Amino acid sequence: MVTVSKDHPRYNSLILRDKLVDGCKKGITNFHGLIAHGRGEAFDYLIGESSTTNALAATEVASAYMLTAQRPILSVNGNVAALVPAELVELSEMIGAPLEINLYHRSRQRIEKIEQHLRDFGARRILTGRDYVRLPEIASERAKVDERGILLSDVVFVPLEDGDRSEALKKSGKTVLAVDLNPLSRTALAASVTVVDELTRTMGNVIEFTKRMQNAEDKEVLEVLKSKFDNVQNLKTSYSIILSRLQNLSESDGPLNIT
Ligand code: ATP
Ligand code: MG
């Protein structure tokens, strides 16, 4: 691990990069995951590197879906496993959802390493796609889902998912909850709820909301949250957030301050 001073302006970003590089060294994260992370970082710059009110509202709706699901499931890939293993385990226990290891660049060896990594963080229910079926309309290894997991689920939390798979999951009738810093990606457009925010920030927020709403006496509140949500409007608001941020910067007087 590289030692980074907390005063460094990119402290958080450097810590996340370090976790992913470490994930690559351990064989749980694929090199392509580093590139995907870089694309996310670029959008985080545009958003302002903090959770917007709009993202918090979508996160709350995602939590409401997970709390009211019949068979929720959390999908884990190599970046997700490297960035938020402890948070995944905590959420999995809170809502009674198994973790399904679902890789874009799939290999038996990497699945086993991720499984062990999650167990080291206390995970108890892990599905690995050993018994799998293929989602229609997708070629290659990416089509595989565990027949006891994602296949049977009604609500799938798929942080950092690929566009093809998100679209296929949605078409198969599932509620797809995505986390993606890029509000223009196919995943963002295909999901039922798109949280346009950075994954580590989102996981903290999801856990906080889920804890608070778990005890909500009135389950009706969760249903209202779900029914009032409009993902197209959520994405449009994400575009306006970026637009007005750049507009304000481009019109500002004096020295530029982007923080
Ligand atoms: P799509 O397949 O949905 O069109 P893509 O091909 O551009 O998107 P992928 O490589 O399939 O992207 O998936 C990576 C996505 O995850 C990117 O859109 C990126 O913005 C996002 N991303 C990467 N790291 C993070 C992170 N830490 N938090 C939130 N989003 C992230
Ligand atoms: Mg993609």
Side-chain angles (χ1 to χ4, degrees):
M1 283 272 179
V2 180
T3 313
V4 191
S5 156
K6 284 204 167 182
D7 303 330
H8 192 289
R10 307 236 70 75
Y11 176 78
N12 285 335
S13 154
L14 292 173
I15 293 293
L16 298 193
R17 286 182 180 192
D18 230 29
K19 285 189 177 177
L20 291 170
V21 169
D22 200 44
C24 283
K25 286 183 187 154
K26 286 182 180 151
I28 61 176
T29 305
N30 188 277
F31 290 125
H32 293 267
L34 302 179
I35 299 168
H37 185 78
R39 178 173 289 164
E41 281 187 328
F43 280 96
D44 210 11
Y45 241 99
L46 296 175
I47 288 161
E49 295 179 286
S50 63
S51 303
T52 63
T53 313
N54 189 53
L56 291 174
T59 309
E60 202 165 31
V61 174
S63 305
Y65 269 108
M66 285 191 259
L67 280 169
T68 52
Q70 299 290 318
R71 296 185 77 122
I73 191 149
L74 312 179
S75 178
V76 183
N77 67 20
N79 281 39
V80 176
L83 291 174
V84 287
E87 292 86 344
L88 281 173
V89 173
E90 187 175 355
L91 183 62
S92 152
E93 294 288 327
M94 259 196 299
I95 60 169
L99 300 166
E100 177 166 334
I101 302 171
N102 218 290
L103 307 180
Y104 187 98
H105 299 278
R106 198 181 181 98
S107 81
R108 174 62 29 210
Q109 204 186 23
R110 205 150 76 82
I111 290 175
E112 281 168 9
K113 285 189 173 160
I114 293 177
E115 183 179 7
Q116 188 53 53
H117 178 67
L118 294 172
R119 294 219 185 278
D120 292 344
F121 279 86
R124 291 188 295 173
R125 288 180 66 197
I126 304 176
L127 295 162
T128 60
R130 194 193 56 208
D131 301 311
Y132 65 85
V133 290
R134 285 175 176 275
L135 292 170
E137 299 171 46
I138 310 185
S140 85
E141 294 287 280
R142 289 179 291 142
K144 292 178 178 176
V145 292
D146 197 297
E147 65 178 21
R148 294 161 304 152
I150 288 180
L151 182 72
L152 300 179
S153 67
D154 55 343
V155 173
V156 203
F157 182 61
V158 280
L160 322 188
E161 185 54 279
D162 166 61
D164 282 359
R165 284 175 42 90
S166 304
E167 281 166 12
L169 290 169
K170 185 79 185 302
K171 275 193 189 149
S172 67
K174 302 182 189 307
T175 298
V176 178
L177 313 174
V179 181
D180 196 331
L181 277 161
N182 177 2
L184 301 163
S185 75
R186 284 172 310 138
T187 296
L189 298 175
S192 320
V193 179
T194 308
V195 177
V196 183
D197 202 358
E198 200 283 316
L199 177 65
T200 59
R201 293 197 301 263
T202 303
M203 285 306 289
N205 295 331
V206 164
I207 288 170
E208 193 189 313
F209 286 142
T210 307
K211 266 186 197 153
R212 178 156 50 77
M213 294 196 289
Q214 212 171 21
N215 303 321
E217 291 192 357
D218 191 358
K219 292 285 173 208
E220 196 67 14
V221 173
L222 302 176
E223 295 303 328
V224 172
L225 271 174
K226 292 194 301 188
S227 65
K228 278 193 170 165
F229 182 78
D230 175 350
N231 204 41
V232 171
Q233 191 49 53
N234 165 46
L235 291 173
K236 285 184 178 173
T237 307
S238 307
Y239 306 144
S240 337
I241 288 169
I242 294 175
L243 198 62
S244 49
R245 193 155 178 274
L246 294 181
Q247 182 102 40
N248 289 341
L249 281 168
S250 67
E251 291 169 355
S252 66
D253 296 326
L256 289 173
N257 182 3
I258 65 147
T259 51

